[in-house]
Amino acid sequence: MTGVCGCCGALRPRYKRLVDNIFPEDPEDGLVKTNMEKLTFYALSAPEKLDRIGAYLSERLIRDVSRHRYGYVCIAMEALDQLLMACHCQSINLFVESFLKMVAKLLESEKPNLQILGTNSFVKFANIEEDTPSYHRSYDFFVSRFSEMCHSSHDDPDVRTKIRMSGIKGLQGVVRKTVNDELQANIWDPQHMDKIVPSLLFNLQHAEEAESRSPSPLQATEKEKESPAELAERCLRELLGRAAYGNIKNAIKPVLIHLDNHSLWEPKTFAIRCFKIIMYSIQPQHSHLVIQQLLGHLDANSKSAATVRAGIVEVLSEAAVIAASGSVGPTVLEVFNTLLRQLRLSIDYALTGSYDGAGSVGTKIIKEHEERMFQEAVIKTIGSFASTLPTYQRSEVMLFIMSKVPLPSLHQAVEAGKAGENRNRLTQIMLLKSLLQVSLGFQCSNMLTALPSSFLDRLLSAALMEDAEIRLFVLEILISFIDRHGNRHKFSAISTISDISVLKLKVDKCSRQDTVFMKKHAQQLYRHIYLTCKEESNVQAHYEALYSMLVLISIELANEEVVVDLIRLVLAVQEIAQINEDNLPAYNRCALYALGAAYLNLISQLTTVPTFCQHIHEVIQMRQKEAPYLLPEDVFVERPRLSRSLDRLGPEVFFRQSKISEVLGGSGYNSDRLSTPYVPQLTGTCLPGASRGAPALSRPPGRPRAQRPAPRSADEDRLSKRKSIGETISLQVEVESRNSPEREERAPAEEITYETLKKAIDSVAVEEQERERRRQVVEKFQKAPFEEIAAHCGARATLLQSKLNQIFEITIRPPPSPSGTITAAYGQPQNHSIPVYEMKFPDLCVY
């Protein structure tokens, strides 16, 4: 190194002499600091020589590496680092090229120490902010080499750890150097991301395995500072934190591919951890892009094993909850649409046993319990994501889910046949489960917005289906909507508690919005509660849900009118068990008696009317003595005590409507309304003067249960949105009021002229008699049995046709005979009338 003759050494360029002087004779002595200061001063004074200094240093380093003189290699790299830190002139680009060439030479070496040395120098370089841009610099080699180092499999664990950490630091340096420089190669290109991201995930993945084998938490904590996993996580967070809107997709796709290739969806712990890192690292406004990537990946794996799909859904659940705090508006319905579609596919897979829907010819064996696990994961995800949404979005989601429920009563396409019935039933159950998850904890001050008519009509149409599980889900959904103060758990078990103050119920005054809601939908809710009580397939859970619903309506939505109607409803339920027209089993009858006793016991204490409480308490005491099987304490237990002599019970064990009407009427309640037995209504109006009769929609005696499906009830529900039947069928009312069969026999045919028609129209608009007549007809349509209405409509149709025939006979008949009279269609003499073609109409009536 110094074996050059003096005369020749003096002729060497100054920069070479200065470079040579920084190297000591013995490499163990390290860099000669005074000579290094001279070299640095010379580089700052003559920046045009910097590129030559770098080239000469590079030449010496390459020679020393090839000769295995590693001490001088370390000195050369130290000198390069100091020059880089000191010089920021415009000509530094050529010096950097020499520097990167030397770093690459070190990284290509098989010696771990040289690889680590080169990486450390590169990291120092990466932290330098250059004053001049570089248009031609490439980092492709460094990305590949650092990624390879991250996957090191050296035999020595300590050396392997050091190499992997150097690789991670190198990748971190590449990202820092390139991510904010638009003139550099785009580090977000898939060719780079496909190397960087899996390398970081590889170290995170192996860290979890090492932690599971760690003998002591203390040891793991001590090693965590030099752990590749901790460094890889920090690097991954930094990378994602720098990602712009257009780069998120390229950063997330390698994560999904890595989890697929290494089968990391099934344990799902690592996958959840990865996406938590991602969601907390990226900018909040980009969260929905990650959700879209996961949804697309779920669709792409729609024919993968159920465990894989379940893992993706679990990850989606965790990510969606985090993303909900950011901006996920554009993807809300997309999330639920994809999840519901996957739910439907899972049901098909479980029924057909194949992913292609062709039966047993599927190439993969489908396990039903795994599909069920996947379905439960989807439902859980729907609920967890919906719980983070604002109220208005949750309402939209619930409407969206309800629109997917196949209901034949609403003219929705459903599959026929046994396979189609099974698919429809499973779909209904799964969607209602999802809806229940969304509705849990839903609190809305305005029930009109929480339960709009379009949603409530569809939901209640499912409340009367034959399937007991579906009915129970509907009741639970309604309860979750109504329970806005968390009272449900306080009376989940039905009992006749003597002092309800121990329940510590939260009761607020009924708001104006709640009053409007009950005026609009109360009769609809009452009727479905009433008809649900008559189902033979009810079990204890149904009666507990019915009890909870009655009590919650009393606490959350009740005013004086609602309380009266609920008491009438419960007394009508008692009458169902007492008369037993539907031939209910003994358990159902006892359950209805017990349900009525528990509710009246609670509502009597809420109303705080002493005489009312006394009557209820007397009946309950009488039942405890003579008929304990009519009380919830003996019915709603594991082994209920029943009696077959329910038809021989005395009147003293029943709650009497007359007595309740008397005691409550004396306290200011509407005694007329209380004394009127409850009859299911199709509209929201309950007339006090309703007469006792057969329920309008009850099943006729002897008619099989299978012939009373929900469709007819659901279609009738939609009629409740009309104000009045009479207002919408005015023509029918007019025909009914004027042309009943009895009057037709004795009333002569009227002469139909323009003046007659005009007079009829005026009279309908102004006469009070016509309004009263309309009210009577409406009341008849509301209160009369179905058979009577059907027979009456048939007769009315015949009458209308005959009237039309009479009109046609008059208008088409030739000119009148000279005698001045003609014979009508029914053989009755009729006065001479002017033919239509000779009538003189006003100009405004002529088109």
Side-chain angles (χ1 to χ4, degrees):
M1 184 181 300
T2 58
V4 183
C5 61
C7 60
C8 293
L11 296 176
R12 292 170 64 83
R14 185 182 178 190
Y15 74 89
K16 286 189 177 182
R17 284 185 277 121
L18 291 173
V19 170
D20 291 337
N21 291 336
I22 67 173
F23 291 94
E25 292 185 4
D26 185 2
E28 297 294 333
D29 295 339
L31 184 68
V32 180
K33 293 184 179 180
T34 56
N35 292 337
M36 187 64 212
E37 291 175 358
K38 294 177 182 179
L39 177 62
T40 304
F41 180 77
Y42 175 78
L44 292 173
S45 302
E48 68 277 3
K49 300 293 184 179
L50 187 60
D51 57 334
R52 298 183 184 182
I53 295 173
Y56 184 59
L57 273 171
S58 174
E59 180 184 339
R60 287 199 56 143
L61 182 137
I62 293 173
R63 185 178 62 211
D64 291 335
V65 169
S66 62
R67 294 178 180 178
H68 305 288
R69 301 168 69 175
Y70 300 124
Y72 289 120
V73 172
C74 295
I75 292 173
M77 292 307 300
E78 185 179 354
L80 282 170
D81 293 341
Q82 291 190 25
L83 287 173
L84 275 174
M85 299 297 293
C87 302
H88 296 281
C89 58
Q90 293 182 352
S91 60
I92 197 175
N93 277 331
L94 295 177
F95 176 74
V96 170
E97 292 298 327
S98 300
F99 168 78
L100 293 178
K101 183 178 179 181
M102 288 183 282
V103 171
K105 186 65 178 178
L106 294 178
L107 293 177
E108 288 175 345
S109 173
E110 295 180 358
K111 297 291 183 180
N113 291 337
L114 294 184
Q115 295 176 13
I116 295 171
L117 178 64
T119 302
N120 292 337
S121 295
F122 183 84
V123 171
K124 293 177 183 177
F125 160 71
N127 292 327
I128 297 175
E129 295 184 4
E130 299 182 53
D131 296 335
T132 57
S134 174
Y135 297 91
H136 58 279
R137 197 179 299 164
S138 174
Y139 296 96
D140 292 0
F141 167 78
F142 296 99
V143 171
S144 300
R145 184 57 185 151
F146 288 138
S147 300
E148 185 179 348
M149 291 171 64
C150 290
H151 292 83
S152 173
S153 57
H154 197 278
D155 295 335
D156 188 344
D158 293 334
V159 174
R160 182 170 64 243
T161 299
K162 291 179 180 178
I163 295 175
R164 289 185 179 182
M165 291 188 67
S166 295
I168 296 170
K169 290 178 181 177
L171 291 177
Q172 191 176 27
V174 173
V175 172
R176 288 178 179 176
K177 198 64 181 174
T178 60
V179 74
N180 291 326
D181 192 348
E182 296 180 357
L183 300 176
Q184 302 289 354
N186 190 0
I187 198 67
W188 300 105
D189 287 343
Q191 59 180 350
H192 300 311
M193 285 290 104
D194 291 345
K195 298 174 184 177
I196 295 174
V197 174
S199 300
L200 301 176
L201 294 179
F202 175 79
N203 286 275
L204 277 174
Q205 174 187 347
H206 282 266
E208 294 218 339
E209 297 174 0
E211 287 175 6
S212 63
R213 298 192 298 266
S214 179
S216 167
L218 179 60
Q219 294 179 11
T221 305
E222 291 174 351
K223 292 182 178 180
E224 195 175 50
K225 295 181 180 179
E226 51 187 29
S227 166
E230 194 272 340
L231 187 60
E233 180 178 340
R234 188 165 63 245
C235 182
L236 182 61
R237 290 182 183 275
E238 183 178 349
L239 174 69
L240 294 168
R242 295 172 181 265
Y245 180 85
N247 303 325
I248 294 292
K249 182 177 180 181
N250 291 342
I252 301 302
K253 188 175 181 180
V255 178
L256 300 173
I257 295 175
H258 181 83
L259 296 174
D260 286 340
N261 293 339
H262 295 271
S263 302
L264 295 173
W265 293 112
E266 297 180 27
K268 74 190 175 187
T269 305
F270 177 73
I272 291 175
R273 181 187 174 191
C274 286
F275 274 90
K276 281 187 175 181
I277 293 173
I278 292 171
M279 299 306 297
Y280 283 118
S281 300
I282 62 175
Q283 300 178 38
Q285 64 268 26
H286 300 158
S287 298
H288 66 280
L289 296 176
V290 182
I291 303 301
Q292 287 178 344
Q293 288 285 95
L294 280 170
L295 292 173
H297 198 66
L298 180 59
D299 282 337
N301 286 272
S302 59
K303 293 188 178 181
S304 299
T307 52
V308 173
R309 286 179 282 131
I312 298 174
V313 169
E314 289 282 354
V315 172
L316 181 63
S317 173
E318 297 290 340
V321 170
I322 299 172
S325 60
S327 173
V328 292
T331 60
V332 169
L333 290 183
E334 183 183 351
V335 170
F336 291 98
N337 191 31
T338 300
L339 292 175
L340 294 179
R341 182 170 62 250
Q342 291 297 326
L343 197 62
R344 185 65 182 262
L345 286 175
S346 177
I347 293 171
D348 291 340
Y349 295 158
L351 290 174
T352 61
S354 168
Y355 289 120
D356 54 11
S360 59
V361 299
T363 56
K364 299 180 181 178
I365 300 176
I366 295 179
K367 298 179 181 179
E368 189 173 352
H369 71 277
E370 291 182 352
E371 291 296 336
R372 182 58 60 87
M373 177 190 66
F374 169 73
Q375 294 164 13
E376 294 297 333
V378 171
I379 294 171
K380 177 186 174 183
T381 301
I382 290 175
S384 61
F385 182 47
S387 64
T388 62
L389 298 177
T391 301
Y392 73 95
Q393 282 189 333
R394 290 183 73 175
S395 299
E396 292 177 358
V397 168
M398 288 184 284
L399 282 171
F400 179 74
I401 296 176
M402 197 65 216
S403 67
K404 299 288 185 180
V405 180
L407 297 174
S409 59
L410 299 177
H411 310 288
Q412 194 165 344
V414 293
E415 298 183 50
K418 188 171 183 180
E421 290 177 2
N422 292 336
R423 183 176 288 105
N424 291 333
R425 178 183 177 276
L426 288 175
T427 303
Q428 291 164 351
I429 290 176
M430 290 302 167
L431 291 179
L432 289 174
K433 269 188 178 181
S434 305
L435 188 59
L436 178 59
Q437 288 293 321
V438 176
S439 63
L440 290 176
F442 179 71
Q443 293 186 357
C444 182
S445 58
N446 191 346
M447 292 295 293
L448 283 172
T449 58
L451 288 173
S453 298
S454 56
F455 176 82
L456 190 61
D457 290 345
R458 291 186 61 87
L459 184 62
L460 291 179
S461 66
L464 299 179
M465 298 184 73
E466 296 294 334
D467 192 282
E469 190 174 2
I470 293 177
R471 295 200 308 272
L472 184 58
F473 279 128
V474 173
L475 290 173
E476 293 291 344
I477 291 168
L478 288 171
I479 289 170
S480 63
F481 275 109
I482 299 173
D483 184 19
R484 293 172 292 182
H485 293 87
N487 290 314
R488 166 70 192 278
H489 68 280
K490 299 176 181 178
F491 44 80
S492 55
I494 309 179
S495 63
T496 53
I497 185 170
S498 58
D499 184 9
I500 64 170
S501 61
V502 298
L503 299 178
K504 298 180 180 179
L505 300 175
K506 297 179 181 178
V507 184
D508 286 344
K509 185 178 180 181
C510 183
S511 64
R512 180 179 177 276
Q513 293 88 348
D514 293 342
T515 302
V516 174
F517 172 80
M518 291 304 290
K519 283 184 177 294
K520 186 175 182 181
H521 297 295
Q523 296 300 326
Q524 196 177 0
L525 291 172
Y526 300 156
R527 187 169 67 87
H528 281 80
I529 294 174
Y530 178 83
L531 295 177
T532 303
C533 290
K534 301 174 70 172
E535 296 291 342
E536 294 181 8
S537 56
N538 287 343
V539 295
Q540 180 175 341
H542 291 85
Y543 296 111
E544 290 175 349
L546 287 167
Y547 175 70
S548 298
M549 189 169 176
L550 288 169
V551 175
L552 285 172
I553 292 176
S554 305
I555 295 174
E556 299 280 353
L557 306 172
N559 51 27
E560 179 182 329
E561 182 178 349
V562 173
V563 169
V564 169
D565 285 342
L566 287 173
I567 294 173
R568 294 171 58 234
L569 172 62
V570 172
L571 292 175
V573 169
Q574 175 185 259
E575 189 176 354
I576 292 175
Q578 189 174 358
I579 299 177
N580 196 23
E581 292 180 348
D582 297 303
N583 297 319
L584 296 175
Y587 174 79
N588 296 65
R589 297 177 66 185
C590 291
L592 292 179
Y593 284 127
L595 173 66
Y599 175 74
L600 290 175
N601 173 69
L602 187 139
I603 196 66
S604 65
Q605 298 183 54
L606 286 176
T607 56
T608 63
V609 178
T611 52
F612 184 32
C613 294
Q614 181 181 357
H615 171 66
I616 301 301
H617 185 63
E618 289 174 354
V619 175
I620 290 176
Q621 281 188 329
M622 187 61 66
R623 289 187 179 185
Q624 289 173 345
K625 293 179 181 178
E626 300 187 3
Y629 45 84
L630 303 184
L631 294 174
E633 287 78 8
D634 281 15
V635 177
F636 301 118
V637 291
E638 184 177 355
R639 294 183 178 180
R641 296 173 54 190
L642 306 177
S643 173
R644 299 187 179 276
S645 58
L646 295 177
D647 296 329
R648 295 192 294 270
L649 295 172
E652 65 277 359
V653 297
F654 297 125
F655 301 100
R656 298 192 301 277
Q657 188 159 8
S658 58
K659 179 66 175 179
I660 294 175
S661 174
E662 178 185 346
V663 296
L664 287 180
S667 299
Y669 288 85
N670 189 340
S671 58
D672 292 338
R673 195 181 189 89
L674 279 167
S675 59
T676 304
Y678 171 77
V679 177
Q681 301 296 319
L682 290 180
T683 64
T685 306
C686 180
L687 301 175
S691 60
R692 187 178 191 130
L697 295 178
S698 60
R699 186 172 71 251
R703 184 179 179 181
R705 174 171 296 274
Q707 297 180 13
R708 189 189 57 80
R712 182 171 63 86
S713 297
D715 290 336
E716 289 166 347
D717 284 346
R718 292 196 291 277
L719 296 177
S720 65
K721 291 184 283 187
R722 305 178 184 177
K723 277 187 177 181
S724 169
I725 297 176
E727 293 177 3
T728 58
I729 51 173
S730 58
L731 176 61
Q732 295 179 0
V733 172
E734 184 66 21
V735 172
E736 148 66 17
S737 60
R738 291 183 168 273
N739 300 303
S740 62
E742 295 80 9
R743 294 189 58 178
E744 179 62 24
E745 294 178 359
R746 58 180 182 272
E750 299 178 355
E751 178 181 353
I752 299 182
T753 63
Y754 169 76
E755 295 295 328
T756 306
L757 293 173
K758 182 179 178 182
K759 182 178 179 181
I761 294 173
D762 294 339
S763 64
V764 170
V766 297
E767 292 183 5
E768 192 65 24
Q769 278 186 333
E770 294 300 328
R771 294 182 183 178
E772 180 64 22
R773 220 178 268 132
R774 286 174 182 269
R775 191 193 66 78
Q776 293 175 357
V777 174
V778 170
E779 183 177 347
K780 182 175 182 180
F781 270 86
Q782 290 176 342
K783 301 298 180 286
F786 177 80
E787 290 77 7
E788 181 180 339
I789 295 175
H792 184 73
C793 288
R796 188 171 54 200
T798 304
L799 176 64
L800 182 60
Q801 183 63 42
S802 65
K803 180 62 70 176
L804 290 174
N805 291 338
Q806 182 180 351
I807 295 173
F808 293 151
E809 181 72 20
I810 295 173
T811 56
I812 300 176
R813 186 181 295 254
S817 61
S819 61
T821 60
I822 59 174
T823 304
Y826 292 93
Q828 296 175 344
Q830 187 167 343
N831 295 331
H832 174 77
S833 61
I834 302 174
V836 175
Y837 52 83
E838 293 183 2
M839 291 182 182
K840 300 296 182 181
F841 290 95
D843 293 339
L844 293 177
C845 296
V846 179
Y847 178 71

